[in-house]
Amino acid sequence: MNKAVTARAHTNIALIKYWGKKNSELIIPTTSSLSLTLDKFYTDTTVFFDDQLEQDELFLNNTMIKNKALTKTSEFLDLVRQMAGIKAYANITSVNHVPTAAGLASSASGFAALAAASSKAAGLDLNRKDLSRLARRGSGSASRSIFGGFTEWIAGEDDLTSYAHPIQENVTMDIQMLTVVLDGSPKKIGSRQGMQHAIATSPFYDTWVAESAVDLVAMKHAITNNDFQALGELAEHNALQMHSLNFTAKPAFTYFNGDTLNILNLIQDLRHQGIQAYATMDAGPNVKIISQSADTQIISNAIKNNFPSALVEIAKPGPGISYL
Amino acid sequence: MNKAVTARAHTNIALIKYWGKKNSELIIPTTSSLSLTLDKFYTDTTVFFDDQLEQDELFLNNTMIKNKALTKTSEFLDLVRQMAGIKAYANITSVNHVPTAAGLASSASGFAALAAASSKAAGLDLNRKDLSRLARRGSGSASRSIFGGFTEWIAGEDDLTSYAHPIQENVTMDIQMLTVVLDGSPKKIGSRQGMQHAIATSPFYDTWVAESAVDLVAMKHAITNNDFQALGELAEHNALQMHSLNFTAKPAFTYFNGDTLNILNLIQDLRHQGIQAYATMDAGPNVKIISQSADTQIISNAIKNNFPSALVEIAKPGPGISYL
């Protein structure tokens, strides 16, 4: 207590997606998921519990925040205070090295860093499994950002049994994600709202749950066998399935815009030229291109030639949580 | 025999889609479908059987055709010759008032007109049900273009039981389709090839078949009740389901391009402004906007403001087959 703790957590991008909860309060998902933690995008968060404070104080990227992000953070800290048996409010300073709310998973790194920093600042000494369970309560995908490399979030049935664990922290495969940002504006439909609507109304939802379990097994095989092509094909198929749930919701919605489709079609053209490149998309219009280092230049050039305004960043496998 | 017969058939656009066959040779579909025949787009075809000819001759839009369109036409005429007990080859002259192969169903009007003209020229006097069965052998959706207005193609189980019949030939609803053509180039993946790939590889296919039967019942209710909104919502949902089968095929494919998504998002924006507009898409990137006459101007303007190069045409309910 009364000491400042700083933690760093990296974002992760799901190769087998999380898209729906069977318990909204505890954030227990309908499916297990599997992700790759990235080195490029991360959040640094410092937490300091102070008996003098009259409420939690949140500074995000050097700006004091008073909106619903503060409410969500305070509700999360209530869990930590309850676990640690303390009552003090906290000062939270968070610096986000991720474009916020554009489908690049800033909430994953954000809540993972907050879970690590706040629990330690509150005097708790959680192991990584319990940190993952805690991070999950802030944002489902944050459970995976506790670990580096390939990480599985086991859906489980309740708070105790729903957590992430590492599949391969030191990635042996040559794999990277080229993130193509064409639209950095916040998403219109939050992922929480989007996934609940898909569960409730897409006729394909139950099939997706069953198919996702099959994809997950195949994905683990691909990782074990260092089979990049199988991993890429599975990831793209799984992502398109998830987005098809949104296309078939009533009423339909989509995170795609025209450029999302243009980039998907460009990636298909690249594959026809023999370049191994696969797409994955989350709750935003931007595309992450799963690829290998030897193809960086040819893919980047193809993107820049077709989309001069695109911001392309290259992310490699990244580490799990650390304290600074 | 030995007289020239000219028939006119109009295109139809499916509101409940046909996407897959259970018998490829006889063209027996996996699902029943329901369409609206349009006044704007049609094909006029003249057939003349001539003992002097040494092979079938096909003129399409004043150009002599020698490619696979001739082969397909000759194979179709073999069915007619067999039914009529004649051996003569035919001269076929067809004028297509539809942009070919851009998802505007030129094969539907084409084979419906050919079925009507060739059977009569061969001396047959088929009723409309049998004409529909015959047209089906050329192109599944052609079975529906025998009739005007709202038409159902009953999937059936074999050649005898798979045919279209009218649901409401004289349409009472205020309904039109604004066709927005942004890309008139031929589709990359033919619909025959596309649907077979979706059947074989999409995990959602079986659910789609079941869901389509539910949508069809609801669509007939919407027509009976003159409920434009229900019709539009069902049609858009059904179309997006069909295209999701393609997105989830292995490997995935799509008829959409960037502008398809931009127009879908524009239609959603129009709905948020209170305009009743719904989208349907077939085996091409172009969008048909299901709408009502009072909204023609506002929708056309929105399209032209956002897509200056778009060709917008307005099609109303059209009639069934006729002889000229």
Side-chain angles (χ1 to χ4, degrees):
Chain A
M1 268 293 284
N2 291 345
K3 68 171 181 182
V5 176
T6 301
R8 171 173 294 181
H10 289 74
T11 56
N12 70 80
I13 297 295
L15 302 172
I16 301 292
K17 302 294 186 193
Y18 152 52
W19 202 244
K21 303 174 181 69
K22 56 192 176 203
N23 179 323
S24 295
E25 197 206 329
L26 294 174
I27 311 193
I28 312 297
T30 56
T31 60
S32 296
S33 53
L34 193 151
S35 61
L36 180 64
T37 300
L38 300 182
D39 63 350
K40 184 95 180 190
F41 305 117
Y42 57 92
T43 303
D44 287 339
T45 297
T46 303
V47 178
F48 175 65
F49 285 97
D50 185 344
D51 291 327
Q52 307 301 313
L53 288 173
E54 293 183 357
Q55 57 175 11
D56 294 319
E57 286 179 353
L58 173 64
F59 293 83
L60 184 56
N61 298 334
N62 299 317
T63 304
M64 190 174 215
I65 304 290
K66 297 261 190 192
N67 61 17
K68 69 174 180 179
L70 174 63
T71 312
K72 243 187 121 184
T73 301
S74 278
E75 285 170 2
F76 182 83
L77 290 179
D78 288 344
L79 296 173
V80 176
R81 282 185 277 260
Q82 195 177 19
M83 289 167 76
I86 64 171
K87 289 192 186 295
Y89 289 109
N91 175 289
I92 309 110
T93 308
S94 194
V95 180
N96 220 353
H97 301 266
V98 191
T100 307
L104 286 166
S106 61
S107 66
S109 56
F111 276 102
L114 181 64
S118 65
S119 60
K120 194 164 185 185
L124 295 166
D125 184 23
L126 302 181
N127 61 29
R128 296 203 299 172
K129 172 177 160 181
D130 288 339
L131 262 186
S132 172
R133 290 175 48 231
L134 175 60
R136 191 199 75 229
R137 300 291 293 273
S139 175
S141 56
S143 66
R144 297 185 306 240
S145 274
I146 302 300
F147 303 97
F150 293 115
T151 301
E152 179 188 14
W153 173 17
I154 300 166
E157 291 299 330
D158 53 26
D159 180 48
L160 276 176
T161 55
S162 185
Y163 55 86
H165 71 122
I167 295 291
Q168 188 187 78
E169 287 221 78
N170 293 305
V171 170
T172 54
M173 188 185 283
D174 175 8
I175 184 173
Q176 62 185 16
M177 291 209 188
L178 260 91
T179 64
V180 183
V181 178
L182 274 157
D183 180 355
S185 57
K187 54 201 173 200
K188 286 187 202 163
I189 305 150
S191 49
R192 245 166 232 223
Q193 187 192 343
M195 65 177 72
Q196 287 311 113
H197 182 57
I199 284 195
T201 64
S202 170
F204 294 157
Y205 196 84
D206 292 346
T207 308
W208 143 261
V209 169
E211 189 70 11
S212 178
V214 176
D215 287 356
L216 179 65
V217 171
M219 183 61 81
K220 288 188 200 174
H221 278 290
I223 292 167
T224 307
N225 298 333
N226 270 317
D227 187 342
F228 176 79
Q229 184 177 342
L231 179 147
E233 287 175 359
L234 280 162
E236 186 172 303
H237 177 59
N238 185 271
L240 288 169
Q241 278 186 75
M242 175 202 127
H243 288 277
S244 291
L245 299 178
N246 305 338
F247 274 123
T248 57
K250 294 183 187 180
F253 68 103
T254 183
Y255 295 105
F256 292 1
N257 62 23
D259 282 334
T260 311
L261 249 285
N262 289 331
I263 291 177
L264 280 176
N265 285 332
L266 176 63
I267 291 170
Q268 198 163 59
D269 288 346
L270 285 169
R271 281 207 296 271
H272 289 157
Q273 294 164 38
I275 308 297
Q276 292 213 351
Y278 302 92
T280 188
M281 294 76 58
D282 294 283
N286 299 309
V287 177
K288 277 79 70 174
I289 305 177
I290 304 164
S291 54
Q292 296 183 293
S293 48
D295 297 323
T296 304
Q297 207 54 52
I298 197 162
I299 299 171
S300 298
N301 288 347
I303 296 291
K304 285 172 187 167
N305 288 340
N306 287 279
F307 308 95
S309 69
L311 180 69
V312 178
E313 302 211 62
I314 296 152
K316 302 271 185 185
I321 206 91
S322 60
Y323 292 98
L324 304 184
Chain B
M1 269 292 285
N2 290 344
K3 69 172 183 184
V5 176
T6 301
R8 172 173 294 180
H10 290 74
T11 57
N12 70 80
I13 297 294
L15 303 172
I16 301 291
K17 302 294 185 192
Y18 152 51
W19 200 242
K21 303 173 181 71
K22 56 192 176 202
N23 180 323
S24 295
E25 197 205 327
L26 294 173
I27 310 192
I28 312 298
T30 56
T31 61
S32 296
S33 54
L34 192 151
S35 62
L36 180 64
T37 299
L38 300 181
D39 62 351
K40 183 97 181 188
F41 306 117
Y42 57 92
T43 302
D44 287 340
T45 297
T46 303
V47 177
F48 174 65
F49 286 96
D50 184 346
D51 292 325
Q52 307 302 313
L53 288 173
E54 293 183 358
Q55 57 174 11
D56 293 319
E57 286 178 354
L58 173 63
F59 293 83
L60 184 56
N61 297 333
N62 299 318
T63 304
M64 190 175 216
I65 304 289
K66 297 260 188 192
N67 61 17
K68 69 174 182 181
L70 174 62
T71 313
K72 243 187 120 184
T73 301
S74 278
E75 285 170 2
F76 182 84
L77 290 179
D78 288 344
L79 295 173
V80 177
R81 281 185 277 258
Q82 195 177 19
M83 289 167 76
I86 63 171
K87 289 190 186 295
Y89 290 108
N91 175 291
I92 310 110
T93 308
S94 191
V95 180
N96 219 354
H97 301 266
V98 191
T100 307
L104 285 167
S106 61
S107 67
S109 56
F111 276 101
L114 182 63
S118 64
S119 60
K120 195 163 183 186
L124 294 166
D125 184 24
L126 302 181
N127 62 28
R128 295 204 300 172
K129 173 177 159 181
D130 289 338
L131 262 186
S132 171
R133 289 175 47 230
L134 175 60
R136 191 199 74 228
R137 301 291 293 273
S139 175
S141 57
S143 66
R144 298 184 307 240
S145 273
I146 302 300
F147 303 97
F150 293 114
T151 300
E152 178 187 14
W153 174 15
I154 300 167
E157 292 299 330
D158 54 26
D159 181 47
L160 276 176
T161 55
S162 186
Y163 56 86
H165 70 122
I167 295 292
Q168 189 186 77
E169 287 221 77
N170 294 304
V171 171
T172 54
M173 188 184 282
D174 175 9
I175 184 172
Q176 62 185 17
M177 291 211 189
L178 260 91
T179 64
V180 183
V181 178
L182 273 157
D183 179 354
S185 57
K187 54 201 173 198
K188 286 185 204 164
I189 304 151
S191 48
R192 244 166 233 224
Q193 186 192 344
M195 63 177 74
Q196 287 311 113
H197 182 57
I199 285 195
T201 63
S202 170
F204 295 156
Y205 196 84
D206 292 346
T207 308
W208 143 261
V209 169
E211 189 70 11
S212 179
V214 176
D215 287 356
L216 179 65
V217 171
M219 183 60 81
K220 288 187 200 171
H221 278 290
I223 292 167
T224 307
N225 298 333
N226 269 318
D227 187 343
F228 176 79
Q229 183 177 342
L231 178 147
E233 287 175 357
L234 280 162
E236 185 172 303
H237 177 59
N238 185 271
L240 288 169
Q241 279 185 76
M242 176 203 126
H243 288 278
S244 291
L245 299 179
N246 305 339
F247 274 124
T248 57
K250 294 182 185 181
F253 68 103
T254 182
Y255 295 104
F256 292 1
N257 62 22
D259 281 334
T260 311
L261 249 285
N262 289 331
I263 291 177
L264 280 176
N265 285 332
L266 176 64
I267 291 170
Q268 198 163 58
D269 288 346
L270 286 168
R271 281 207 295 272
H272 289 158
Q273 294 164 37
I275 308 298
Q276 292 214 351
Y278 301 91
T280 189
M281 293 75 59
D282 294 283
N286 300 308
V287 177
K288 278 77 71 173
I289 305 177
I290 304 164
S291 54
Q292 296 183 294
S293 49
D295 297 321
T296 304
Q297 208 54 51
I298 196 162
I299 298 171
S300 299
N301 288 347
I303 295 291
K304 285 173 187 165
N305 288 340
N306 287 278
F307 308 94
S309 70
L311 180 70
V312 178
E313 303 210 62
I314 297 152
K316 304 270 186 187
I321 205 89
S322 61
Y323 293 97
L324 303 184

